[in-house]
Amino acid sequence: MSSARPFPVVAVEPVSPALRRIVAVAMVALHFGVIWALLQIAPVRQAVGEVMPILVELVAPPAPPQPEVAPPPPPKPVQAPPPPRHVVTVKPKPVPVQQPVFVAPPPPPEPVPVAEPEPSPAPPQAPAQPAVAAGPLSPPAPPPAPPAPKTVSISAVSYLTPPVLHYPNISRRMGEAGRVHVRVLVDTQGLPRETVVVRSSGYARLDESALATVRATRFKPYTENGVARPFWVVMPLIFEMES
């Protein structure tokens, strides 16, 4: 039986501390590089994000600053009461009362005689006139009543300012036309006093324009036997569209 041949013994040199540090740093860098390379893959990065826990730390809000409390004022020193004063009462001396002395009043002076003035003669009185018997006073006669206005025809009327008919623009645009008869009372000075529409055109705008035209007209006073009299007259005013 052959004997076993022993293995040769290899001597191992010891590793220096500096070399061990270099190897450790290289291993850590290799691990970080592998992890970084894996994180560049989208599915791996998403899985790592879902697995990594979320740490929430509750932080209490800081307490509000407490207001500074002023120290209470020191107590006032108690003053001792002043010593009592001795009051000395002095009684007044009685004053002697003098008795009144009665003195008789002097006698009144004698009245001095005053000469009375002689009465002046009375003025002669005028002879009284006989009273006239007052009869009943008759009331004053009332003034004569003014004559009633007379109605005249339009052909008998003269004008100081002739009537100028104003056709409203809106009536022209809307095609409103017609005849308006206005009855007017003219005073003794030729001024219109009362106006009334006795026949309407059927349009309020045309009636108002006719009344305004009559009120602006000045008439020549109407006279009878040289006396001016008021009169009524009916004025026809025609609104026609130009063809």
Side-chain angles (χ1 to χ4, degrees), residues 2-231:
S2 60
S3 61
R5 186 180 293 180
F7 291 98
V9 178
V10 180
V12 180
E13 297 181 359
V15 181
S16 64
L19 183 58
R20 283 200 300 270
R21 285 195 296 269
I22 293 173
V23 173
V25 171
M27 293 298 293
V28 172
L30 180 61
H31 282 79
F32 274 103
V34 173
I35 294 172
W36 180 82
L38 291 175
L39 290 178
Q40 301 305 313
I41 302 173
V44 175
R45 186 169 57 250
Q46 183 177 0
V48 171
E50 293 178 356
V51 173
M52 291 179 64
I54 299 175
L55 299 179
V56 178
E57 182 179 359
L58 299 178
V59 180
Q66 297 294 333
E68 296 183 0
V69 180
K76 295 182 179 180
V78 180
Q79 297 180 358
R85 298 180 180 179
H86 297 281
V87 180
V88 179
T89 57
V90 179
K91 295 182 179 181
K93 296 181 178 181
V95 179
V97 179
Q98 297 181 359
Q99 296 296 333
V101 179
F102 178 76
V103 179
E110 296 180 358
V112 179
V114 180
E116 297 182 358
E118 297 180 357
S120 58
Q125 298 181 358
Q129 296 181 359
V132 179
L137 299 176
S138 59
K150 184 179 180 180
T151 302
V152 299
S153 63
I154 189 64
S155 59
V157 176
S158 300
Y159 303 100
L160 298 177
T161 303
V164 179
L165 190 60
H166 174 68
Y167 208 131
N169 294 330
I170 187 171
S171 297
R172 289 180 183 273
R173 292 194 299 268
M174 299 183 66
E176 298 176 353
R179 179 190 296 264
V180 184
H181 288 188
V182 179
R183 189 167 185 261
V184 55
L185 174 62
V186 183
D187 61 6
T188 57
Q189 297 180 357
L191 300 177
R193 294 302 180 187
E194 297 180 17
T195 55
V196 60
V197 175
V198 295
R199 178 181 175 182
S200 173
S201 64
Y203 302 100
R205 278 185 291 269
L206 299 183
D207 294 348
E208 290 296 331
S209 179
L211 290 174
T213 299
V214 175
R215 295 189 187 107
T217 303
R218 295 297 177 263
F219 300 84
K220 186 177 180 180
Y222 177 77
T223 59
E224 286 185 355
N225 300 325
V227 179
R229 293 186 55 184
F231 65 95

